[in-house]
Amino acid sequence: DAGVIQSPRHEVTEMGQEVTLRCKPISGHNSLFWYRQTMMRGLELLIYFNNNVPIDDSGMPEDRFSAKMPNASFSTLKIQPSEPRDSAVYFCASSSWERGGTDTQYFGPGTRLTVL
Amino acid sequence: AQKVTQAQTEISVVEKEDVTLDCVYETRDTTYYLFWYKQPPSGELVFLIRRNSFDEQNEISGRYSWNFQKSTSSFNFTITASQVVDSAVYFCALSEADSGTYKYIFGTGTRLKVLA
């Protein structure tokens, strides 16, 4: 079975450019999470969706960041304009969320973003 | 407030030694879940185990074992007869179910180096 798919795997861009990261969750999963990992701050949850609806975006650092999930099979995380401090590895994870319980989050391979 | 503490930043052992990675958590929820993930040098996050708060049985999977003790709020991970391939960063995570958010709170990770 295919796991969580993320693209691109690596992205190098210049400050001020728009960056779009993509994620395809595991088929059948109804929750999707976007994380950022840096040496300084570790793993941070940016936003998560249940059934394509954003539930908690309190981790989104600022208005330059936006995320969408137009359908159950696809999500994007966009940074516009990008800044050097956005350089990090961005992970997408998916799980099957059910009220009264939780399920394991399975992570994609990550996108390593470098903003020059 | 919920919190996960991995006090060991880095551990080095020689191959075939046993090693225990500590995880201490804080939560007010009565229903919660604990997880361990492995992040090898290649960067992906690999799920290892999930435990719910009502199941204090220890778990063994090959060379890996986990000791969950609610009395000390700990969920420690032991690798028996360590191998070089075990070298990775290991993360402990907590998910609280009572609050209904099911977000993960990650520890800062323990870097394990297994020397040949």
Side-chain angles (χ1 to χ4, degrees):
Chain A
D1 290 339
V4 176
I5 299 172
Q6 291 187 247
S7 65
R9 295 292 308 277
H10 302 273
E11 177 81 28
V12 180
T13 190
E14 293 193 347
M15 184 173 61
Q17 296 298 305
E18 177 179 296
V19 175
T20 299
L21 310 183
R22 298 172 175 80
C23 176
K24 177 178 169 58
I26 293 172
S27 177
H29 282 186
N30 59 355
S31 293
L32 184 140
F33 305 79
W34 282 101
Y35 290 87
R36 179 171 68 176
Q37 185 179 36
T38 61
M39 289 295 294
M40 291 297 293
R41 301 174 69 91
L43 270 165
E44 304 174 272
L45 177 65
L46 301 178
I47 185 172
Y48 77 97
F49 298 83
N50 279 343
N51 296 316
N52 312 337
V53 176
I55 302 300
D56 185 343
D57 66 354
S58 59
M60 296 286 261
E62 46 196 277
D63 292 345
R64 298 184 298 105
F65 285 69
S66 62
K68 294 182 180 179
M69 191 164 187
N71 58 62
S73 304
F74 184 66
S75 178
T76 59
L77 177 67
K78 185 176 293 186
I79 308 172
Q80 166 63 17
S82 58
E83 297 183 2
R85 60 192 167 121
D86 302 330
S87 297
V89 179
Y90 291 81
F91 288 101
C92 176
S94 71
S95 72
S96 294
W97 178 84
E98 295 179 6
R99 189 169 297 281
T102 192
D103 201 357
T104 302
Q105 292 183 24
Y106 294 92
F107 284 77
T111 295
R112 182 175 295 277
L113 173 64
T114 302
V115 183
L116 304 174
Chain B
Q2 68 274 30
K3 189 178 179 182
V4 175
T5 301
Q6 294 181 257
Q8 304 151 308
T9 305
E10 184 169 313
I11 301 175
S12 291
V13 298
V14 177
E15 207 170 19
K16 298 184 183 177
E17 285 186 0
D18 299 348
V19 58
T20 296
L21 309 182
D22 298 333
C23 174
V24 175
Y25 62 92
E26 294 178 28
T27 179
R28 295 178 182 172
D29 284 19
T30 56
T31 303
Y32 53 89
Y33 299 83
L34 296 163
F35 303 82
W36 277 95
Y37 284 83
K38 173 182 180 179
Q39 188 172 39
S42 51
E44 70 273 25
L45 278 157
V46 179
F47 164 72
L48 295 179
I49 190 172
R50 163 188 159 178
R51 252 304 170 249
N52 73 55
S53 52
F54 300 109
D55 183 1
E56 283 194 76
Q57 278 194 334
N58 291 334
E59 176 102 5
I60 297 175
S61 176
R63 296 183 298 105
Y64 294 172
S65 62
W66 290 269
N67 183 2
F68 175 31
Q69 291 195 348
K70 289 177 73 171
S71 60
T72 55
S73 297
S74 65
F75 186 42
N76 296 337
F77 173 30
T78 297
I79 302 175
T80 302
S82 60
Q83 300 176 2
V84 173
V85 293
D86 297 325
S87 297
V89 180
Y90 291 87
F91 291 94
C92 181
L94 164 72
S95 175
E96 297 176 317
D98 293 351
S99 58
T101 62
Y102 308 109
K103 296 193 292 187
Y104 282 23
I105 307 300
F106 279 92
T108 51
T110 296
R111 181 178 299 276
L112 174 65
K113 293 185 177 179
V114 182
L115 307 173

